[in-house]
Amino acid sequence: PAPATAVKLVLLGEAAVGKSSLVLRFVSNDFQENKEPTIGAAFLTQKCTIGDRTIKYEIWDTAGQERFASLAPMYYRNAQAAVVVYDITKPASFIKARHWVKELHEQASKDITIALVGNKYDLVEDEPESADGESLRKVSFEEGQALADEEGLLFFETSAKTSHNVNEVFIGIGEKIPDT
Ligand code: GTP
Ligand code: MG
């Protein structure tokens, strides 16, 4: 078999949006209701086969808490891929995601592949289209898609809890990464 292409990938986003949970789902197909906040960053690897190629993701899962913000450039500096995560029930996390995308475009590698991910889809999937009561969803699919279109990003709404679209994020990124 052909050797795996190593791809350095960084996850960025506000605290508690589910970065580590997305990685846990992708790497171990598992979910924890009360996952502890990441301290500094965590490193994990996972292989992913796309067609006849194998990609070995080298994943830096950063800490979203503000006190770790200054560490982020170390992790995105030579990343080939980034996943910018927000929580579709938390508008502030979408604003933070915009800032991360801007910072990546200014500071990261010019040819970085970025995926924008609105997580916690399970919290809204059973809501009726036009609810009378207050909806848990605070960021619409269209707002996410519009930001992604403006900035040239892949876009997915995911649930680390149910697995919805989680593999698709990593397959989508892999399809955009050129063979080296
Ligand atoms: P930091 O490491 O502090 O930056 O947070 P994080 O972005 O890594 O978030 P984490 O994965 O630790 O998840 C925070 C909380 O949200 C945990 O209690 C998770 O169980 C929960 N969570 C994560 N993803 C989902 C999801 O898709 N749906 C639901 N309902 N809860 C989720
Ligand atoms: Mg974490």
Side-chain angles (χ1 to χ4, degrees), residues 27 29 55 74 79 81 85 92 108-109 140 144 146 161 167 172 177 180:
V27 171
N29 195 22
I55 287 179
M74 283 200 317
V85 185
S109 158
S140 69
K161 184 167 178 171
N167 286 334
I177 299 270
T180 43

Side-chain angles (χ1 to χ4, degrees), residues 49-163:
T49 302
I50 303 164
D52 55 3
R53 283 172 80 205
T54 301
I55 287 179
K56 183 187 180 202
Y57 282 112
E58 299 172 350
I59 303 170
W60 285 102
D61 169 25
T62 66
Q65 287 178 29
E66 208 47 48
R67 62 189 167 118
F68 299 115
S70 64
L71 301 178
M74 283 200 317
Y75 300 107
Y76 67 62
R77 201 180 302 127
N78 42 38
Q80 291 143 279
V83 179
V84 175
V85 185
Y86 64 96
D87 174 343
I88 62 174
T89 72
K90 296 267 165 19
S93 73
F94 186 62
I95 293 170
K96 185 74 196 177
R98 270 185 197 284
H99 289 135
W100 279 123
V101 170
K102 184 164 179 283
E103 183 166 334
L104 286 170
H105 279 148
E106 287 168 0
Q107 313 276 355
S109 158
K110 280 198 308 297
D111 47 15
I112 192 169
T113 298
I114 306 174
L116 178 68
V117 168
N119 190 40
K120 307 202 184 180
Y121 178 74
D122 59 285
L123 296 177
V124 309
E125 67 184 329
D126 296 329
E127 290 185 348
E129 282 288 324
S130 58
D132 284 343
E134 174 102 331
S135 172
L136 275 177
R137 181 191 277 276
K138 295 289 158 39
V139 183
S140 69
F141 181 88
E142 290 73 20
E143 282 174 273
Q145 187 68 64
L147 174 58
D149 290 348
E150 269 165 44
E151 301 289 342
L153 322 172
L154 295 166
F155 176 60
F156 300 90
E157 287 189 340
T158 63
S159 169
K161 184 167 178 171
T162 67
S163 308

Side-chain angles (χ1 to χ4, degrees), residues 16 18-21 35-39 61-64:
K19 297 177 297 298
S20 299
S21 298
K35 195 148 178 50
E36 69 290 349
T38 304
I39 303 299
D61 169 25
T62 66

